[in-house]
């Protein structure tokens, strides 16, 4: 047992309001070391796996790509690039089902792997990152397509650039992993502690932060030990402290972890950088180390396969774009009784209808839950106002009040009760004796509120256009009236001018309009005479050149077959 | 008895004067209720409510001459907001079901360039000129369907807008108890 | 997309309404046993009758309202209402009064407002108050505790009394009934007797009425069981009892001869039953923690006030109903500070 020096003064931990104890089911999937999932035949890589604008494809259908090659570039600042997870050919760039609660599809790049798994040419490692300008390191992180691997998938290079007006003094590394069943971060900490700590060192340097706190729930003793060892052997041991925290769901939530470790609260609608703190998942930090020290982009991640519906629950290192069904097969396949297939954990994940959806950067877990583990909810009973939901809410909200107003679709009142401070952790619904699907009410309220705001903006825009149109018509009307008025005035002035000037055609004096026409005709005749002098005759169908005649014949020929289809389109 | 009558008369006179003074001093131009109703309406100017545009309907609702459930593009959401605003009971949509949002699309093979639809569009969402191809600017189209009747060759069709990941909404929970007595619940 | 989209959480949810209600019923057993020991079978007969009437009434109303019957009956809330009402009324109450009380509690105070979760007033207390105001004599004819009784009623005698209203052979109504200690105390105080004098009567035990003081303890046991099982939280019981004790203590300290010892208040009437079983009814109490403390304290104060200066000897029901009215307002003004708002943030 190696002795190491590290500050063993336990940090004084705080508590956040609420939270619940759940059976953690972690031993199901931590029995064996993490294996690499077999390379799938097809990789379906969505263009949007992150918060922000979707990436734009750089390759065409039919292109041959190498592993780690950039196949889509970021659009705008808050965006991330996409890389090919293995070598092969791009066989399609089209809409495919993606992991989302709606089951809808989105544009994906589909690669048929050739089995060779050849790397593309990778950029040089940045071993001397400590001497480099932070923006170079950030650029490398952005190039590598690293996003928050804890589930939020926010582009890491953007998060690590909080701006000079928000200096970060504390880096928090989130190894809590509080949701039941999920163990991918646990295994990553056990197996790749060195990589994680390397990443921490890089990020510390990048941010210029003074200290780092690594929060790990105390139901992961091996992970705590591994990380402690790695920290003790690193160059950041003076500024880094490993803090085991009490196992309580949801202490892995960013705001809750921050409060436990530092006692501070992120202001509502704000980000931790506003109080000088930044939080990163252990997986993201390890990916940063890979990108900076090895020059490798993010093309794979640890995924937990668990639940009593899986034959051999375990963690697998899966390539981004692997169909979920292949991962399940690699874990022994489905045992008989599977009631639900869930992506993510049982508290915050969503159900999948199809096994064909791919692994994305945000996929941390796939659960096949038996009927016993995930019984179908019975119809909800009325709310008995017991207040258990408010007791457990980590955001200290009043879920009961939010429920009443969301149910009567009074979205303004739901927002008055701070709807957008809800982190959708599911604690309230878990303890509700009436089994009310509280989280779904709040999710409904949030998406409905956003949709209504969008509709309001659209309505304002349409109103502006409508008013502009009315103004335009009004203006045209005014102009027409003004013209008419001017003409009348001109007419009134004309007879006076005619008396002064030389006598013209008597008829013209009486009828100014006829005079105008007469003048125009004289001008045209003069022009014609001038042109015919030059040998240019007026163009009409009597004097077609042969080339022109051919063009007309071709158009006629095109029109003939079009007509039958036109009539067939009548509905 | 006399004192009671005198007291009441004095009170009535006092409050009458107070009310009269406030009616003049705090008089508001225009009709703020109509403005508030208009702010809620979706501004598609489609006329499906039976009024020639959103503002006329808003005025009618403010004068209590029209029911609050007539706006078709606004759907149930608008009925609920108006009910809350005006202190009335929410009622089901007159039109029955909410229609999904659709955009107008001109079939270019059929278009004869007559500009009748251009003149009909309340938000100038159709691009074109006489004898030139007409096309609907999808981002500006509000789905009001006012361009369909004028077209002499019936080349405009309404195509429903599909959901995408950005516009998808979580459904209202289906296990709501007592659904029948709450008009707002599922 | 196949089927309905259901959101997380997906795991098993162990809390259930019927399990909560069942634990409340279990917690009532010790106190009920004590009541039966001291007052005879009438209590139990009333409980059985009340339960049958309650379930029948609820089923009938649900049928009229065209709602699913079995799921609602299965949540056992009607049963709890019935048991609490039966414990509150005297063991001599005729069956048809129990029926009327139950009908009022279940139909008017609960179902007409929308059923479980929608009623603003505690149904059991609403039923009790309805009976008390309409039939004050019947509602204040308690039996003497068995240790004091000259004539105890056996099972058949109790049954006959409740079903037919006829006292046992050879005994008159007055011979078998007796006022409650609270009633007695009030009457005597109104006649300007002093506490010292009053307490010389054999009715009184160590600190409350003989027999009565022990019933409180058994209900306390049940209440502690509920606290341990986390069916209720400590806020309402503790604040209610403290509120009652503090104000009773204050007045006792000012004039010990005009006001009984505070413990008397705690162990007489339905104070303990109220603290743990009635005031903690989640539907009608406050939901915020701070609100619950205020709610409970004011109930305690009101109980003292009405008992001392009000028109009725026992005040639990009225206090609870009055505070039910105030509960939403108290909730409104005692909302917790949301994470990320106010102090400690930014």
């Amino acid at each position: 047992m190696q002795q190491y020096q590290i500050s063993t003064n336990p940090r004084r931990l705080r508590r956040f309001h609420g939270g619940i104890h759940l059976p953690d089911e972690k031993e199901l999937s931590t029995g064996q070391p993490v294996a690499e999932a077999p390379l799938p035949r097809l990789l379906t890589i969505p263009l949007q796996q992150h918060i922000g604008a979707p990436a734009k494809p750089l390759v065409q259908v039919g292109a041959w790509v190498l592993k780690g090659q950039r196949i889509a570039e970021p659009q705008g600042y808050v965006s991330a690039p996409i890389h090919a997870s293995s070598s092969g050919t791009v066989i399609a760039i089209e809409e495919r089902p993606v992991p989302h609660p709606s089951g809808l599809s989105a544009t994906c790049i589909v690669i048929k792997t050739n089995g060779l798994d050849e790397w593309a040419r990778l950029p040089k490692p940045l071993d001397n990152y400590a001497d480099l300008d932070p923006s170079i390191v950030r650029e490398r992180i952005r190039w590598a397509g690293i996003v928050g691997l804890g589930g939020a998938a926010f582009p890491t290079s953007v998060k690590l650039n909080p701006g000079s007006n928000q200096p970060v003094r504390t880096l928090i590394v989130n190894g809590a992993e509080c949701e039941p069943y999920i163990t991918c971060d646990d295994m990553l900490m056990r197996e790749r502690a060195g990589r994680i700590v390397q990443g921490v060192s890089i990020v510390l340097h990048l941010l210029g932060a003074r200290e780092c706190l690594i929060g790990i729930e105390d139901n992961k003793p091996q992970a705590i030990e591994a990380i402690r060892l790695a920290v003790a052997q690193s160059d950041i041991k003076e500024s880094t402290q490993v803090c085991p925290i009490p196992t309580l769901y949801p202490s892995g939530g960013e705001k809750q972890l921050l409060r436990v470790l530092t006692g501070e609260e992120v202001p509502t609608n704000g980000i931790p950088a506003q109080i000088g703190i930044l939080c990163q998942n252990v997986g993201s930090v390890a990916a940063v180390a890979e990108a900076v020290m090895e020059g490798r982009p993010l093309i794979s991640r640890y995924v937990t396969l668990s639940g009593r519906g899986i034959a051999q629950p375990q963690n697998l290192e899966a390539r981004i774009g692997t169909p979920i069904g292949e991962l399940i097969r690699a874990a022994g396949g489905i045992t008989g009784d599977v009631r639900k297939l869930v992506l993510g954990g049982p508290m915050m994940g969503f159900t999948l209808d199809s096994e064909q959806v791919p692994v994305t950067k945000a996929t941390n877990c796939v659960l096949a839950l038996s009927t016993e583990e995930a019984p179908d909810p019975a119809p909800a009973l009325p709310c008995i106002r017991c207040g258990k939901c408010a007791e457990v809410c980590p955001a200290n909200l009043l879920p009961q009040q939010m429920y009443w107003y969301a149910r009567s679709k009074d979205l303004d009142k739901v927002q008055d009760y701070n709807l957008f401070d809800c982190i959708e952790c599911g604690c309230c619904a878990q303890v509700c004796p009436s089994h009310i699907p509280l989280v779904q009410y709040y999710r409904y309220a949030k998406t409905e509120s956003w949709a209504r705001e969008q509709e309001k903006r659209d309505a304002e825009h349409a109103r502006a256009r409508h008013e502009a149109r009315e103004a335009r018509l009004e203006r045209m009307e005014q102009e027409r009236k003004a013209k008419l008025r001017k003409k009348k005035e001109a007419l009134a002035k004309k007879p006076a001018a005619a008396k002064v000037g030389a006598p013209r055609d008597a008829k013209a004096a009486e009828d100014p309009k006829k005079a105008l026409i007469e003048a125009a005709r004289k001008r045209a005749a003069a022009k014609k005479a001038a042109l015919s002098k030059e040998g240019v005759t007026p163009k009409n169908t009597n004097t077609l050149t042969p080339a022109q005649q051919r063009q007309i014949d071709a158009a006629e020929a095109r029109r003939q077959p079009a007509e039958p289809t036109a009539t067939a389109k009548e509905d | 008895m006399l004192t009671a009558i005198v007291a009441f008369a004095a009170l009535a006179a006092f409050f009458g004067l107070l009310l009269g003074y406030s009616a003049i001093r705090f008089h508001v131009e225009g009709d703020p209720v109509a403005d508030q109703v208009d702010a809620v309406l979706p501004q598609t100017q489609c006329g499906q409510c039976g009024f020639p545009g959103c503002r006329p309907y808003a005025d009618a609702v403010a004068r209590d001459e029209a029911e609050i459930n007539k706006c078709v593009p606004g759907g149930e959401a608008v009925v609920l907001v108006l009910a809350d605003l005006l202190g009335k009971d929410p009622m089901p949509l007159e039109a029955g079901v909410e229609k999904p949002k659709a955009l107008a699309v001109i079939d270019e093979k059929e278009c004869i360039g007559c500009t009748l639809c251009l003149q009909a569009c309340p938000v100038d969402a159709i691009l074109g000129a006489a004898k030139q191809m007409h096309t609907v600017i999808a981002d500006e189209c509000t789905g009001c369907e006012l361009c369909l009747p004028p077209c002499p060759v019936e080349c405009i069709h309404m195509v429903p807008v599909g959901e995408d990941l950005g516009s998808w909404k979580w459904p209202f929970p289906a296990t709501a108890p007592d659904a029948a007595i709450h008009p707002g619940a599922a | 997309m196949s089927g309905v989209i259901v959101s997380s959480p997906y795991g098993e949810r162990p809390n259930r309404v019927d399990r909560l209600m069942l634990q409340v019923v279990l917690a009532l057993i010790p106190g009920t046993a004590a009541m039966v020991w001291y007052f005879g079978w009438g209590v139990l007969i009333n409980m059985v009758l009340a339960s049958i009437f309650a379930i029948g009434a609820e089923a009938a109303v649900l049928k009229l309202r065209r709602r699913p019957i079995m799921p609602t009956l299965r949540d056992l809330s009607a049963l709890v209402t019935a048991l609490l009402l039966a414990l509150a009324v005297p063991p001599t109450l005729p069956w048809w009064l129990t029926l009327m009380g139950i009908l009022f509690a279940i139909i008017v105070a609960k179902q007409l407002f929308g059923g479980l979760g929608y009623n603003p007033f505690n149904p059991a207390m609403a039923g009790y108050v309805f009976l008390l105001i309409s039939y004050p004599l019947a509602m204040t004819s308690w039996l003497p505790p068995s240790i004091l009784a000259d004539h105890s009623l056996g099972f058949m005698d109790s049954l006959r009394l409740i079903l037919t209203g006829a006292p046992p052979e050879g005994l008159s109504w007055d011979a078998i009934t007796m006022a409650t200690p609270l009633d007695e105390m009030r009457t005597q105080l109104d006649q300007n007797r002093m506490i010292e004098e009053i307490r010389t009567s054999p009715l009184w035990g160590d600190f409350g009425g003989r027999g009565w003081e022990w019933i409180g303890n058994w209900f306390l046991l049940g209440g502690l069981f509920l606290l341990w099982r986390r069916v209720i939280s400590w806020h309402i019981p503790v604040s209610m009892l403290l509120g009652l004790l503090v104000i009773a203590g204050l007045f006792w300290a000012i004039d010990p001869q005009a006001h009984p010892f505070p413990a008397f208040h705690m162990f007489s009437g339905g104070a303990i039953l109220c603290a743990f079983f009635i005031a903690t009814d989640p539907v009608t109490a406050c939901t915020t923690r701070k609100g619950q403390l205020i709610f409970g304290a004011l109930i305690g104060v009101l109980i003292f006030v009405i008992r001392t200066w009000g028109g009725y000897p026992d005040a639990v029901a009225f206090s609870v109903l009055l505070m039910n009215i105030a509960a939403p307002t108290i909730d409104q003004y005692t909302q917790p500070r949301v994470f990320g708002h106010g102090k400690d943030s930014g």
Side-chain angles (χ1 to χ4, degrees):
Chain A
M1 180 54 184
Q2 186 176 6
Q3 294 296 334
Y4 42 81
Q5 280 125 314
I6 186 165
S7 160
T8 47
N9 295 333
R11 194 179 173 83
R12 187 179 142 230
L13 299 175
R14 316 300 203 287
R15 279 170 37 194
F16 56 87
H17 178 265
I20 52 178
H21 291 279
L22 292 169
D24 66 18
E25 308 279 14
K26 306 266 187 187
E27 10 15 87
L28 268 182
S29 48
T30 50
Q32 43 186 299
V34 179
E36 210 180 303
L39 197 60
R41 198 176 51 86
L42 281 182
L43 288 167
T44 312
I45 308 179
L47 289 177
Q48 172 130 43
Q49 302 179 39
H50 49 265
I51 294 179
K56 199 166 88 160
L58 287 172
V59 295
Q60 312 248 354
V61 176
W64 168 56
V65 294
L66 292 168
K67 177 168 151 181
Q69 179 179 336
R70 193 183 244 225
I71 52 175
E73 59 180 358
Q75 289 202 79
Y77 180 50
V78 183
S79 188
I82 309 278
H83 302 262
S85 313
S86 188
S87 54
T89 336
V90 176
I91 59 165
I93 302 180
E94 61 189 17
E95 303 238 321
R96 291 284 171 104
V98 292
H100 190 263
S102 61
L104 290 172
S105 303
T107 318
C108 300
I109 298 182
V110 186
I111 299 177
K112 179 149 160 257
T113 53
N114 59 12
L116 298 172
D117 213 27
E118 289 177 70
W119 276 105
R121 219 165 69 92
L122 295 176
K124 285 210 241 319
L126 298 174
D127 296 327
N128 57 337
Y129 62 84
D131 307 320
L132 294 173
D133 190 77
S135 60
I136 298 181
V137 184
R138 258 195 294 271
E139 197 46 49
R140 172 63 64 90
I141 295 175
R142 181 177 167 87
W143 167 85
I146 299 177
V147 300
L149 295 183
F154 189 80
T156 303
S157 60
V158 177
K159 189 163 184 181
L160 290 177
N161 191 13
S164 53
N165 59 336
Q166 290 177 140
V168 172
R169 53 160 213 287
T170 305
L171 172 68
I172 291 185
V173 177
N174 189 343
E177 201 166 52
C178 52
E179 229 176 322
Y181 293 100
I182 309 184
T183 49
C184 54
D185 284 350
D186 185 1
M187 300 307 288
L188 189 74
M189 287 190 282
R190 291 190 208 184
E191 297 186 356
R192 299 207 181 156
R195 194 59 101 189
I196 293 173
V197 171
Q198 204 166 44
V200 171
S201 171
I202 297 170
V203 174
L204 270 178
H205 163 76
L206 199 53
L207 295 172
R210 282 200 319 260
E211 59 167 358
C212 171
L213 303 169
I214 306 182
I216 308 175
E217 274 194 342
D218 58 18
N219 58 1
K220 300 187 233 311
Q222 288 142 309
I224 295 173
E225 203 44 49
I227 297 279
R228 278 214 167 114
L229 196 61
V231 167
Q233 292 166 343
S234 73
D235 58 348
I236 52 168
K237 58 177 177 284
E238 298 302 316
S239 50
T240 306
Q241 191 175 13
V242 176
C243 310
I245 60 176
T247 300
L248 182 68
Y249 178 79
S251 53
E254 186 179 69
K255 296 186 184 177
Q256 281 65 39
L257 186 65
L258 220 132
R259 172 143 177 103
V260 169
L261 291 175
T262 66
E264 301 196 37
E265 288 184 13
V266 179
T268 178
N269 286 336
I271 55 172
Q274 285 170 335
I275 48 174
I277 303 178
L278 208 107
C279 192
Q280 283 287 124
N281 175 271
V282 282
S284 318
V285 156
V288 164
E290 287 260 336
V292 169
M293 306 301 285
E294 313 274 329
R296 291 208 190 123
L298 177 62
I299 54 169
S300 69
R301 63 160 297 155
Y302 279 19
V303 177
T304 305
L305 285 116
S306 193
R308 286 177 176 80
I310 295 250
Q312 291 148 29
Q314 58 186 271
N315 281 278
L316 289 172
E317 187 171 5
R319 301 288 173 97
I320 308 290
T322 308
I324 300 276
E326 303 237 353
L327 283 188
I328 295 177
R329 264 189 291 286
I334 302 263
T335 63
D337 171 30
V338 172
R339 196 77 194 88
K340 282 190 176 63
L341 197 62
V342 174
L343 198 91
M347 298 297 288
M348 293 181 71
F350 52 88
T351 47
L352 292 173
D353 270 343
S354 138
E355 283 183 359
Q356 287 315 304
V357 292
V359 168
T360 63
K361 294 177 184 175
T363 306
N364 54 1
C365 179
V366 175
L367 295 175
L369 299 173
S370 62
T371 317
E372 203 189 305
E373 288 173 312
D376 275 341
L381 290 174
C383 167
I384 61 169
R385 298 172 39 89
C386 63
K388 284 199 200 299
C389 50
E391 258 182 68
V392 297
C393 178
N396 217 1
L397 298 167
L398 288 175
Q400 202 189 96
Q401 297 298 332
M402 282 161 55
Y403 160 70
W404 287 118
Y405 289 114
R407 208 178 117 183
S408 54
K409 303 196 181 176
D410 190 348
L411 299 184
D412 285 330
K413 275 302 259 209
V414 190
Q415 288 186 47
D416 283 346
Y417 281 95
N418 309 108
L419 169 68
F420 288 100
D421 281 309
C422 168
I423 61 173
E424 297 177 26
C425 64
C427 288
C428 50
Q430 181 69 19
V431 297
C432 177
S434 301
H435 290 195
I436 301 174
L438 291 169
V439 184
Q440 192 166 349
Y441 278 100
Y442 310 143
R443 286 180 166 153
Y444 156 78
K446 285 187 189 176
T447 49
E448 188 69 32
S449 301
W450 287 325
R452 285 199 193 165
E453 275 172 33
Q454 181 63 38
E455 279 172 22
K456 236 199 179 104
R457 279 195 291 268
D458 290 344
E460 273 311 305
H461 184 71
R463 189 211 310 269
R465 274 189 86 85
H466 180 63
E467 281 168 8
R469 171 189 154 89
E470 300 279 304
R472 173 175 68 86
L473 293 174
E474 184 67 28
R475 204 180 54 239
M476 280 167 58
E477 185 66 24
Q478 294 299 332
E479 278 173 10
R480 194 177 68 80
K481 282 208 182 93
K483 235 192 221 166
L484 215 55
R485 223 185 12 253
K486 262 208 196 104
K487 262 198 205 134
K488 284 210 180 95
E489 284 167 16
L491 273 171
K493 284 202 194 109
K494 259 272 171 144
K499 284 194 193 119
V500 172
R504 305 246 345 187
D505 213 10
K507 264 195 213 149
E510 283 168 30
D511 196 341
K513 204 171 186 179
K514 274 213 181 120
L516 282 170
I517 295 174
E518 203 44 49
R521 217 189 286 154
K522 282 203 184 111
R523 278 200 303 273
K527 192 171 177 193
K528 223 190 213 170
L531 279 176
S532 55
K533 270 212 197 102
E534 291 173 29
V536 181
T537 48
K539 294 193 176 81
N540 59 29
T541 48
N542 295 335
T543 55
L544 287 172
T545 64
Q548 280 169 331
Q549 183 60 50
R550 271 202 301 278
Q551 269 184 326
I552 291 174
D553 289 338
E556 280 292 321
R558 274 200 309 272
R559 192 201 288 242
Q560 294 303 339
E563 277 170 10
T565 53
T567 48
K569 272 195 67 178
E570 292 290 333
D571 56 335
Chain B
M1 173 74 163
L2 192 61
T3 40
I5 295 175
V6 168
F8 268 104
L11 278 172
F14 173 68
F15 283 118
L17 281 171
L18 197 65
L19 284 171
Y21 172 70
S22 355
I24 298 172
R25 169 83 172 78
F26 299 113
H27 178 66
V28 177
E29 280 304 329
D31 187 354
V33 178
D35 286 336
Q36 285 171 320
V37 174
D38 194 40
V40 173
L41 298 176
Q43 303 303 320
T44 47
Q45 322 291 344
C46 61
Q48 290 178 65
C49 53
F51 292 86
C54 294
R55 184 72 208 194
Y57 178 55
D59 290 332
V61 168
R63 285 195 302 270
D64 212 11
E65 285 168 13
E67 290 295 347
I68 58 174
N69 62 345
K70 287 184 179 295
C71 179
V72 176
E76 192 197 12
V78 163
V79 176
L80 288 176
V81 177
L82 287 181
D84 193 35
L85 183 67
L86 303 168
K88 291 188 173 168
D89 285 326
M91 51 182 79
L93 279 177
E94 201 183 33
V97 229
E98 277 192 56
K99 276 196 291 195
K101 179 145 191 260
L103 296 182
V105 177
I106 291 178
D107 180 5
E108 295 179 358
K109 282 202 276 293
E110 301 285 318
C111 175
I112 58 172
C114 66
T115 75
L116 286 173
C117 61
L118 255 84
Q119 294 163 38
C121 178
V123 291
D124 282 346
I126 305 187
L127 193 65
K131 298 273 188 272
Q132 309 265 342
M133 182 53 65
H134 299 340
T135 189
V136 175
I137 308 173
D139 283 345
E140 305 294 349
C141 174
T142 60
C144 70
E145 300 186 16
L146 282 174
C147 54
L148 265 67
C151 177
V153 295
E154 289 181 18
C155 71
I156 311 187
H157 308 282
M158 299 304 293
V159 177
V161 177
E163 275 184 319
D164 66 359
L165 288 183
S167 65
W168 180 78
K169 298 185 289 192
W170 273 94
F172 191 79
T175 57
D178 305 328
I181 63 171
H182 287 264
Chain C
M1 270 304 312
S2 60
V4 178
I5 300 180
V6 173
S7 139
S8 58
Y10 296 113
E12 198 205 332
R13 292 187 259 189
N15 281 351
R16 269 194 359 224
V17 176
D18 57 350
R19 286 191 196 153
L20 287 182
M21 297 291 166
L22 198 60
Q23 284 175 31
V24 173
V25 172
L26 286 177
L28 281 173
I29 290 178
T32 308
M35 293 274 284
V36 172
W37 174 263
Y38 284 109
F39 295 110
W41 295 101
V43 176
L44 213 52
I45 298 170
N46 270 338
M47 285 170 101
V48 170
L49 282 178
S51 308
I52 297 174
F53 293 148
I55 293 177
E58 188 149 82
V61 174
L62 288 170
K63 190 112 200 281
L64 280 176
R65 286 179 70 199
R66 286 195 281 263
R67 299 221 175 278
I69 298 181
M70 277 320 288
T72 313
L73 285 183
R74 249 194 287 231
D75 67 25
L76 299 184
S77 53
L79 182 66
V80 172
T81 303
L83 295 180
L84 289 174
L85 184 63
L87 283 171
V89 300
T92 57
L93 201 70
W95 66 274
W96 53 275
L97 274 180
T98 310
L99 175 63
M100 280 179 63
I102 288 289
L103 287 180
F104 186 82
I106 298 289
I107 299 180
V108 176
K110 184 172 159 197
Q111 287 296 331
L112 284 187
F113 281 96
L116 179 67
Y118 294 97
N119 44 306
F121 296 108
N122 189 312
M125 292 299 101
Y128 178 86
V129 163
F130 165 75
L131 288 177
L132 185 61
I133 294 179
S134 317
Y135 296 90
L137 193 58
M139 286 293 285
T140 49
S141 306
W142 278 82
L143 290 175
S146 56
I147 36 180
L148 291 177
D150 301 321
H151 316 273
S152 291
L153 294 173
F155 180 78
M156 286 315 293
D157 289 333
S158 306
L159 197 59
R160 194 179 312 129
L161 183 64
I162 287 173
L163 291 179
T164 61
E169 299 287 328
L171 293 170
S172 68
W173 183 262
D174 287 327
I176 47 168
T177 58
M178 192 167 125
T180 61
L182 271 177
D183 209 348
E184 186 62 30
M185 173 69 71
R186 187 57 193 282
T187 323
Q188 303 285 349
L189 281 174
D190 283 345
Q191 292 169 1
N192 285 321
R193 293 243 171 77
M194 294 203 294
I195 297 283
E196 256 172 5
E197 235 185 292
I198 299 173
R199 281 184 63 86
T200 52
S201 150
L203 266 157
W204 303 105
D206 299 315
F207 45 84
R210 286 278 291 279
W212 282 96
E213 55 201 0
W214 276 104
I215 293 174
N217 284 334
W218 292 103
F219 278 122
L220 181 63
L221 207 66
L224 291 174
F225 168 74
L226 288 180
L227 277 175
W228 171 60
R229 300 287 304 168
R230 290 176 184 251
V231 174
I232 59 176
S233 78
W234 61 266
H235 299 79
I236 293 183
V238 168
S239 61
M240 193 209 113
L241 292 173
L242 270 184
L244 181 57
L245 286 177
V246 164
I247 192 167
L250 196 66
F251 279 87
W252 175 77
I254 293 174
D255 190 354
Q257 294 308 322
H259 296 98
F261 189 65
F264 167 76
H265 277 287
M266 195 157 121
F267 285 99
S268 55
I272 302 261
L273 186 67
C274 170
F276 290 94
F277 296 91
I278 297 177
T280 52
D281 172 33
V283 179
T284 50
C286 281
T287 46
T288 60
R289 287 287 178 245
K290 276 190 274 207
Q292 283 173 343
L293 292 175
I294 299 175
F295 178 81
L298 286 178
I299 288 184
V301 168
L302 276 174
I303 288 178
F304 177 79
V305 167
I306 299 180
R307 276 183 183 173
T308 313
W309 296 294
Y312 289 89
D314 197 358
V316 162
F318 293 107
S319 313
V320 170
L321 290 177
L322 282 172
M323 289 314 294
N324 285 156
I325 302 176
T329 310
I330 297 177
D331 268 339
Q332 173 77 13
Y333 289 106
T334 53
Q335 288 175 34
R337 183 190 66 84
V338 176
F339 190 97
H341 291 243
K343 69 168 179 81
D344 249 20
S345 60

